[in-house]
Amino acid sequence: MAAPPITTSVTELPESRVRVEAEVPATEVEKRVEQAARSLARSIRVPGFRAGKAPAPVVIKRVGREAVLDEAVRDSIGSWYSAAIDAAAIVPVGEPELDLGELPAAGQPLTFSIEIGVRPTATLGEYKGLEVEKGSPEASDEAVEAEVERLRERSGRLETVERPAADGDFVVMDYKGTLGGEAFAGGEGRDQMIELGSGRLVPGFEEQLTGASAGDDRTVTVTFPDDYGAAELAGQEAEFAVTVKEVKAKELPELDDDLAAEAGFDTLDELRADIRERLSEAASDRVEAEFREAALDAAVANATVEVPAALVDARSRELWDQMLHSLSHQGISKDMYLQVSGRSEEEIIADGRDDAERQLKREAVLAAVVAAEGIEPSEEEILAALEEAAPQERASAKKLLERMKSANRLDAFKAELANRKALDLLTESAKPAGTTR
């Protein structure tokens, strides 16, 4: 759907805020009024017409233009707001203060204003040819050996042992828990195996089984944490009658060619070489990403960027909202996350302010580099970027380009590509510390 035709004027305010005055033309308003009338026709009865078939003018006359206009504005204000932000060519930060003027008479435009924070501006210092630390993608001997040990752990076998259980051993047990002498839901289990020292059970449970042998009966007393998932148990002291049935120890394979053969290699040296290569490949992408960030942060350090506290707070709240959106796709609610994290919403937002400020400064510097260098993506670069997105969107690059133009989103996409090119420029000109180029 094409973006509605909105005209705007922008007034800069203190503290990185702006006021956008927007006007929706009368033709757009009347079109939305007719759409709202057709929608209302489906839910009201109009004598002489079948359900949902009454023409828009008849519905408007019966319901009243003001009521239909009010419905139209409520349905359309979201798209009008987005179109106004795009038309004003601003990068908003935080929640807007939207002021809707008087609803217009027939044939008149609708006006509204938006007051909102915007991306801060940067005064650049030196930003090209900066010396920046760059890590090595080479995998260390310690990292390789740690990976070999993890392979040994995965290949280990549990063997029953005739001795008291120690940290790292596995205990097979039956247990029955009581609260004040009464059994409680979920407090009983049979043939359950736990690893001592893993910290997976209620604090204190595993420690009280250290030294137990097969056939032992033990009474384990624990207090459930105040933030325990089952509210009815939180903070309660419980007693568990435990019968130890088996003690098992993990037997790790020898560090030799046989271990390598299990992983598909002829020798241990071949296994280590493969691990080193894989670790180095994975590290290479990480090192390059860190170098790009470091080049940008060096340019930020040389720049002057004033970021008002209110803007930092607004961006931190945006980051929190984005996290909640991501968590919801994983089936995790806000209340559940707050309970697990042990922090309040305001504490999380406060903790996120440093990241928010860093993000805003980076964005400001990249925008300033784009302006200073006159960076503008070519048609070929735009199409190349869209080609990457095409498979996921199940559409050709040209089709995606048409959609962006129709939705008035092409300028925003160009700005994103320009920022990428600005970061490329900073990275390519940066000198890894201790080297010359």
PDB file of all heavy atoms in Angstrom, residues 225-252:
ATOM      1  N   PRO A 225      14.424 -21.137  47.666  1.00  0.00           N
ATOM      2  CA  PRO A 225      14.703 -19.697  47.515  1.00  0.00           C
ATOM      3  C   PRO A 225      13.419 -18.884  47.458  1.00  0.00           C
ATOM      4  O   PRO A 225      12.362 -19.388  47.058  1.00  0.00           O
ATOM      5  CB  PRO A 225      15.456 -19.622  46.170  1.00  0.00           C
ATOM      6  CG  PRO A 225      15.975 -20.995  45.922  1.00  0.00           C
ATOM      7  CD  PRO A 225      14.983 -21.927  46.554  1.00  0.00           C
ATOM      8  N   ASP A 226      13.511 -17.608  47.877  1.00  0.00           N
ATOM      9  CA  ASP A 226      12.336 -16.732  47.869  1.00  0.00           C
ATOM     10  C   ASP A 226      11.787 -16.525  46.462  1.00  0.00           C
ATOM     11  O   ASP A 226      10.590 -16.249  46.291  1.00  0.00           O
ATOM     12  CB  ASP A 226      12.689 -15.374  48.490  1.00  0.00           C
ATOM     13  CG  ASP A 226      12.956 -15.495  49.985  1.00  0.00           C
ATOM     14  OD1 ASP A 226      12.439 -16.449  50.590  1.00  0.00           O
ATOM     15  OD2 ASP A 226      13.689 -14.640  50.519  1.00  0.00           O
ATOM     16  N   ASP A 227      12.669 -16.633  45.442  1.00  0.00           N
ATOM     17  CA  ASP A 227      12.206 -16.423  44.062  1.00  0.00           C
ATOM     18  C   ASP A 227      11.984 -17.741  43.326  1.00  0.00           C
ATOM     19  O   ASP A 227      12.025 -17.804  42.103  1.00  0.00           O
ATOM     20  CB  ASP A 227      13.214 -15.558  43.289  1.00  0.00           C
ATOM     21  CG  ASP A 227      14.607 -16.195  43.241  1.00  0.00           C
ATOM     22  OD1 ASP A 227      14.810 -17.235  43.902  1.00  0.00           O
ATOM     23  OD2 ASP A 227      15.493 -15.637  42.550  1.00  0.00           O
ATOM     24  N   TYR A 228      11.743 -18.822  44.086  1.00  0.00           N
ATOM     25  CA  TYR A 228      11.528 -20.139  43.469  1.00  0.00           C
ATOM     26  C   TYR A 228      10.314 -20.107  42.540  1.00  0.00           C
ATOM     27  O   TYR A 228       9.338 -19.399  42.810  1.00  0.00           O
ATOM     28  CB  TYR A 228      11.334 -21.193  44.558  1.00  0.00           C
ATOM     29  CG  TYR A 228      11.407 -22.614  44.062  1.00  0.00           C
ATOM     30  CD1 TYR A 228      12.599 -23.147  43.588  1.00  0.00           C
ATOM     31  CD2 TYR A 228      10.282 -23.426  44.057  1.00  0.00           C
ATOM     32  CE1 TYR A 228      12.677 -24.455  43.129  1.00  0.00           C
ATOM     33  CE2 TYR A 228      10.341 -24.742  43.603  1.00  0.00           C
ATOM     34  CZ  TYR A 228      11.537 -25.237  43.131  1.00  0.00           C
ATOM     35  OH  TYR A 228      11.606 -26.528  42.665  1.00  0.00           O
ATOM     36  N   GLY A 229      10.397 -20.852  41.446  1.00  0.00           N
ATOM     37  CA  GLY A 229       9.350 -20.818  40.416  1.00  0.00           C
ATOM     38  C   GLY A 229       7.961 -21.165  40.936  1.00  0.00           C
ATOM     39  O   GLY A 229       6.980 -20.551  40.539  1.00  0.00           O
ATOM     40  N   ALA A 230       7.864 -22.169  41.827  1.00  0.00           N
ATOM     41  CA  ALA A 230       6.564 -22.540  42.405  1.00  0.00           C
ATOM     42  C   ALA A 230       6.321 -21.658  43.624  1.00  0.00           C
ATOM     43  O   ALA A 230       6.960 -21.827  44.671  1.00  0.00           O
ATOM     44  CB  ALA A 230       6.555 -24.020  42.782  1.00  0.00           C
ATOM     45  N   ALA A 231       5.409 -20.711  43.467  1.00  0.00           N
ATOM     46  CA  ALA A 231       5.193 -19.700  44.516  1.00  0.00           C
ATOM     47  C   ALA A 231       4.836 -20.329  45.859  1.00  0.00           C
ATOM     48  O   ALA A 231       5.219 -19.811  46.917  1.00  0.00           O
ATOM     49  CB  ALA A 231       4.105 -18.727  44.069  1.00  0.00           C
ATOM     50  N   GLU A 232       4.118 -21.474  45.838  1.00  0.00           N
ATOM     51  CA  GLU A 232       3.675 -22.082  47.093  1.00  0.00           C
ATOM     52  C   GLU A 232       4.839 -22.699  47.879  1.00  0.00           C
ATOM     53  O   GLU A 232       4.709 -23.004  49.073  1.00  0.00           O
ATOM     54  CB  GLU A 232       2.597 -23.144  46.832  1.00  0.00           C
ATOM     55  CG  GLU A 232       3.077 -24.385  46.085  1.00  0.00           C
ATOM     56  CD  GLU A 232       3.093 -24.199  44.570  1.00  0.00           C
ATOM     57  OE1 GLU A 232       2.918 -23.050  44.118  1.00  0.00           O
ATOM     58  OE2 GLU A 232       3.280 -25.205  43.859  1.00  0.00           O
ATOM     59  N   LEU A 233       5.994 -22.877  47.208  1.00  0.00           N
ATOM     60  CA  LEU A 233       7.162 -23.432  47.889  1.00  0.00           C
ATOM     61  C   LEU A 233       8.205 -22.373  48.237  1.00  0.00           C
ATOM     62  O   LEU A 233       9.091 -22.625  49.063  1.00  0.00           O
ATOM     63  CB  LEU A 233       7.823 -24.500  47.001  1.00  0.00           C
ATOM     64  CG  LEU A 233       6.973 -25.712  46.633  1.00  0.00           C
ATOM     65  CD1 LEU A 233       7.757 -26.654  45.731  1.00  0.00           C
ATOM     66  CD2 LEU A 233       6.514 -26.449  47.896  1.00  0.00           C
ATOM     67  N   ALA A 234       8.102 -21.205  47.611  1.00  0.00           N
ATOM     68  CA  ALA A 234       9.111 -20.162  47.797  1.00  0.00           C
ATOM     69  C   ALA A 234       9.276 -19.812  49.280  1.00  0.00           C
ATOM     70  O   ALA A 234       8.305 -19.562  49.989  1.00  0.00           O
ATOM     71  CB  ALA A 234       8.718 -18.920  47.000  1.00  0.00           C
ATOM     72  N   GLY A 235      10.540 -19.849  49.741  1.00  0.00           N
ATOM     73  CA  GLY A 235      10.847 -19.492  51.124  1.00  0.00           C
ATOM     74  C   GLY A 235      10.523 -20.564  52.147  1.00  0.00           C
ATOM     75  O   GLY A 235      10.796 -20.385  53.345  1.00  0.00           O
ATOM     76  N   GLN A 236       9.976 -21.701  51.708  1.00  0.00           N
ATOM     77  CA  GLN A 236       9.553 -22.760  52.635  1.00  0.00           C
ATOM     78  C   GLN A 236      10.706 -23.734  52.912  1.00  0.00           C
ATOM     79  O   GLN A 236      11.533 -24.014  52.041  1.00  0.00           O
ATOM     80  CB  GLN A 236       8.381 -23.546  52.035  1.00  0.00           C
ATOM     81  CG  GLN A 236       7.129 -22.726  51.778  1.00  0.00           C
ATOM     82  CD  GLN A 236       6.361 -22.456  53.051  1.00  0.00           C
ATOM     83  OE1 GLN A 236       6.473 -23.194  54.028  1.00  0.00           O
ATOM     84  NE2 GLN A 236       5.590 -21.385  53.072  1.00  0.00           N
ATOM     85  N   GLU A 237      10.733 -24.247  54.139  1.00  0.00           N
ATOM     86  CA  GLU A 237      11.709 -25.287  54.484  1.00  0.00           C
ATOM     87  C   GLU A 237      11.066 -26.652  54.245  1.00  0.00           C
ATOM     88  O   GLU A 237       9.942 -26.912  54.668  1.00  0.00           O
ATOM     89  CB  GLU A 237      12.147 -25.160  55.945  1.00  0.00           C
ATOM     90  CG  GLU A 237      13.213 -26.184  56.322  1.00  0.00           C
ATOM     91  CD  GLU A 237      13.657 -26.067  57.764  1.00  0.00           C
ATOM     92  OE1 GLU A 237      14.507 -25.190  58.043  1.00  0.00           O
ATOM     93  OE2 GLU A 237      13.142 -26.826  58.618  1.00  0.00           O
ATOM     94  N   ALA A 238      11.783 -27.513  53.524  1.00  0.00           N
ATOM     95  CA  ALA A 238      11.248 -28.843  53.201  1.00  0.00           C
ATOM     96  C   ALA A 238      12.228 -29.913  53.645  1.00  0.00           C
ATOM     97  O   ALA A 238      13.440 -29.685  53.741  1.00  0.00           O
ATOM     98  CB  ALA A 238      10.980 -28.957  51.699  1.00  0.00           C
ATOM     99  N   GLU A 239      11.684 -31.091  53.885  1.00  0.00           N
ATOM    100  CA  GLU A 239      12.507 -32.230  54.294  1.00  0.00           C
ATOM    101  C   GLU A 239      12.311 -33.344  53.279  1.00  0.00           C
ATOM    102  O   GLU A 239      11.174 -33.649  52.897  1.00  0.00           O
ATOM    103  CB  GLU A 239      12.090 -32.683  55.694  1.00  0.00           C
ATOM    104  CG  GLU A 239      13.038 -33.662  56.340  1.00  0.00           C
ATOM    105  CD  GLU A 239      12.625 -33.971  57.775  1.00  0.00           C
ATOM    106  OE1 GLU A 239      11.829 -34.917  57.969  1.00  0.00           O
ATOM    107  OE2 GLU A 239      13.073 -33.235  58.692  1.00  0.00           O
ATOM    108  N   PHE A 240      13.403 -33.923  52.820  1.00  0.00           N
ATOM    109  CA  PHE A 240      13.332 -34.996  51.827  1.00  0.00           C
ATOM    110  C   PHE A 240      13.922 -36.279  52.407  1.00  0.00           C
ATOM    111  O   PHE A 240      15.060 -36.282  52.908  1.00  0.00           O
ATOM    112  CB  PHE A 240      14.108 -34.627  50.564  1.00  0.00           C
ATOM    113  CG  PHE A 240      13.462 -33.552  49.740  1.00  0.00           C
ATOM    114  CD1 PHE A 240      13.680 -32.210  50.024  1.00  0.00           C
ATOM    115  CD2 PHE A 240      12.628 -33.884  48.676  1.00  0.00           C
ATOM    116  CE1 PHE A 240      13.080 -31.209  49.272  1.00  0.00           C
ATOM    117  CE2 PHE A 240      12.029 -32.896  47.912  1.00  0.00           C
ATOM    118  CZ  PHE A 240      12.256 -31.554  48.211  1.00  0.00           C
ATOM    119  N   ALA A 241      13.131 -37.359  52.327  1.00  0.00           N
ATOM    120  CA  ALA A 241      13.642 -38.686  52.669  1.00  0.00           C
ATOM    121  C   ALA A 241      14.245 -39.271  51.394  1.00  0.00           C
ATOM    122  O   ALA A 241      13.544 -39.486  50.406  1.00  0.00           O
ATOM    123  CB  ALA A 241      12.517 -39.565  53.184  1.00  0.00           C
ATOM    124  N   VAL A 242      15.563 -39.505  51.406  1.00  0.00           N
ATOM    125  CA  VAL A 242      16.281 -39.923  50.196  1.00  0.00           C
ATOM    126  C   VAL A 242      16.868 -41.313  50.400  1.00  0.00           C
ATOM    127  O   VAL A 242      17.509 -41.587  51.431  1.00  0.00           O
ATOM    128  CB  VAL A 242      17.412 -38.931  49.859  1.00  0.00           C
ATOM    129  CG1 VAL A 242      18.208 -39.421  48.637  1.00  0.00           C
ATOM    130  CG2 VAL A 242      16.850 -37.543  49.599  1.00  0.00           C
ATOM    131  N   THR A 243      16.644 -42.197  49.416  1.00  0.00           N
ATOM    132  CA  THR A 243      17.289 -43.511  49.387  1.00  0.00           C
ATOM    133  C   THR A 243      18.240 -43.539  48.210  1.00  0.00           C
ATOM    134  O   THR A 243      17.828 -43.382  47.056  1.00  0.00           O
ATOM    135  CB  THR A 243      16.259 -44.640  49.238  1.00  0.00           C
ATOM    136  OG1 THR A 243      15.383 -44.627  50.374  1.00  0.00           O
ATOM    137  CG2 THR A 243      16.953 -45.995  49.141  1.00  0.00           C
ATOM    138  N   VAL A 244      19.529 -43.714  48.500  1.00  0.00           N
ATOM    139  CA  VAL A 244      20.546 -43.763  47.436  1.00  0.00           C
ATOM    140  C   VAL A 244      20.579 -45.185  46.888  1.00  0.00           C
ATOM    141  O   VAL A 244      20.823 -46.145  47.620  1.00  0.00           O
ATOM    142  CB  VAL A 244      21.935 -43.360  47.975  1.00  0.00           C
ATOM    143  CG1 VAL A 244      22.988 -43.480  46.871  1.00  0.00           C
ATOM    144  CG2 VAL A 244      21.895 -41.929  48.516  1.00  0.00           C
ATOM    145  N   LYS A 245      20.354 -45.325  45.593  1.00  0.00           N
ATOM    146  CA  LYS A 245      20.289 -46.663  44.986  1.00  0.00           C
ATOM    147  C   LYS A 245      21.588 -47.026  44.262  1.00  0.00           C
ATOM    148  O   LYS A 245      21.969 -48.201  44.225  1.00  0.00           O
ATOM    149  CB  LYS A 245      19.108 -46.727  44.016  1.00  0.00           C
ATOM    150  CG  LYS A 245      17.783 -46.379  44.709  1.00  0.00           C
ATOM    151  CD  LYS A 245      16.614 -46.375  43.758  1.00  0.00           C
ATOM    152  CE  LYS A 245      16.094 -47.770  43.490  1.00  0.00           C
ATOM    153  NZ  LYS A 245      14.805 -47.744  42.734  1.00  0.00           N
ATOM    154  N   GLU A 246      22.241 -46.019  43.673  1.00  0.00           N
ATOM    155  CA  GLU A 246      23.507 -46.271  42.968  1.00  0.00           C
ATOM    156  C   GLU A 246      24.362 -45.026  43.011  1.00  0.00           C
ATOM    157  O   GLU A 246      23.851 -43.900  43.055  1.00  0.00           O
ATOM    158  CB  GLU A 246      23.261 -46.598  41.489  1.00  0.00           C
ATOM    159  CG  GLU A 246      23.001 -48.044  41.153  1.00  0.00           C
ATOM    160  CD  GLU A 246      22.933 -48.237  39.644  1.00  0.00           C
ATOM    161  OE1 GLU A 246      21.920 -47.835  39.049  1.00  0.00           O
ATOM    162  OE2 GLU A 246      23.908 -48.765  39.073  1.00  0.00           O
ATOM    163  N   VAL A 247      25.668 -45.240  42.981  1.00  0.00           N
ATOM    164  CA  VAL A 247      26.623 -44.152  42.775  1.00  0.00           C
ATOM    165  C   VAL A 247      27.377 -44.457  41.483  1.00  0.00           C
ATOM    166  O   VAL A 247      27.893 -45.565  41.311  1.00  0.00           O
ATOM    167  CB  VAL A 247      27.616 -44.022  43.954  1.00  0.00           C
ATOM    168  CG1 VAL A 247      28.664 -42.941  43.651  1.00  0.00           C
ATOM    169  CG2 VAL A 247      26.880 -43.706  45.245  1.00  0.00           C
ATOM    170  N   LYS A 248      27.398 -43.497  40.570  1.00  0.00           N
ATOM    171  CA  LYS A 248      28.065 -43.703  39.287  1.00  0.00           C
ATOM    172  C   LYS A 248      29.143 -42.628  39.096  1.00  0.00           C
ATOM    173  O   LYS A 248      28.974 -41.478  39.503  1.00  0.00           O
ATOM    174  CB  LYS A 248      27.069 -43.598  38.127  1.00  0.00           C
ATOM    175  CG  LYS A 248      26.030 -44.717  38.094  1.00  0.00           C
ATOM    176  CD  LYS A 248      25.027 -44.487  36.972  1.00  0.00           C
ATOM    177  CE  LYS A 248      24.023 -45.630  36.882  1.00  0.00           C
ATOM    178  NZ  LYS A 248      24.614 -46.834  36.253  1.00  0.00           N
ATOM    179  N   ALA A 249      30.234 -43.022  38.462  1.00  0.00           N
ATOM    180  CA  ALA A 249      31.311 -42.087  38.124  1.00  0.00           C
ATOM    181  C   ALA A 249      31.479 -42.073  36.617  1.00  0.00           C
ATOM    182  O   ALA A 249      31.299 -43.105  35.949  1.00  0.00           O
ATOM    183  CB  ALA A 249      32.611 -42.503  38.804  1.00  0.00           C
ATOM    184  N   LYS A 250      31.821 -40.901  36.107  1.00  0.00           N
ATOM    185  CA  LYS A 250      32.045 -40.797  34.659  1.00  0.00           C
ATOM    186  C   LYS A 250      33.482 -41.208  34.351  1.00  0.00           C
ATOM    187  O   LYS A 250      34.435 -40.599  34.852  1.00  0.00           O
ATOM    188  CB  LYS A 250      31.785 -39.374  34.161  1.00  0.00           C
ATOM    189  CG  LYS A 250      31.978 -39.232  32.656  1.00  0.00           C
ATOM    190  CD  LYS A 250      31.648 -37.839  32.156  1.00  0.00           C
ATOM    191  CE  LYS A 250      30.156 -37.635  32.019  1.00  0.00           C
ATOM    192  NZ  LYS A 250      29.837 -36.355  31.326  1.00  0.00           N
ATOM    193  N   GLU A 251      33.605 -42.247  33.534  1.00  0.00           N
ATOM    194  CA  GLU A 251      34.924 -42.717  33.100  1.00  0.00           C
ATOM    195  C   GLU A 251      35.234 -42.088  31.753  1.00  0.00           C
ATOM    196  O   GLU A 251      34.525 -42.314  30.768  1.00  0.00           O
ATOM    197  CB  GLU A 251      34.932 -44.246  32.985  1.00  0.00           C
ATOM    198  CG  GLU A 251      34.644 -44.982  34.294  1.00  0.00           C
ATOM    199  CD  GLU A 251      35.754 -44.804  35.312  1.00  0.00           C
ATOM    200  OE1 GLU A 251      36.895 -44.524  34.886  1.00  0.00           O
ATOM    201  OE2 GLU A 251      35.479 -44.928  36.523  1.00  0.00           O
ATOM    202  N   LEU A 252      36.284 -41.279  31.699  1.00  0.00           N
ATOM    203  CA  LEU A 252      36.644 -40.605  30.454  1.00  0.00           C
ATOM    204  C   LEU A 252      37.594 -41.468  29.644  1.00  0.00           C
ATOM    205  O   LEU A 252      38.459 -42.165  30.203  1.00  0.00           O
ATOM    206  CB  LEU A 252      37.307 -39.255  30.756  1.00  0.00           C
ATOM    207  CG  LEU A 252      36.468 -38.246  31.541  1.00  0.00           C
ATOM    208  CD1 LEU A 252      37.243 -36.940  31.693  1.00  0.00           C
ATOM    209  CD2 LEU A 252      35.147 -37.995  30.854  1.00  0.00           C
TER     210      LEU A 252
END
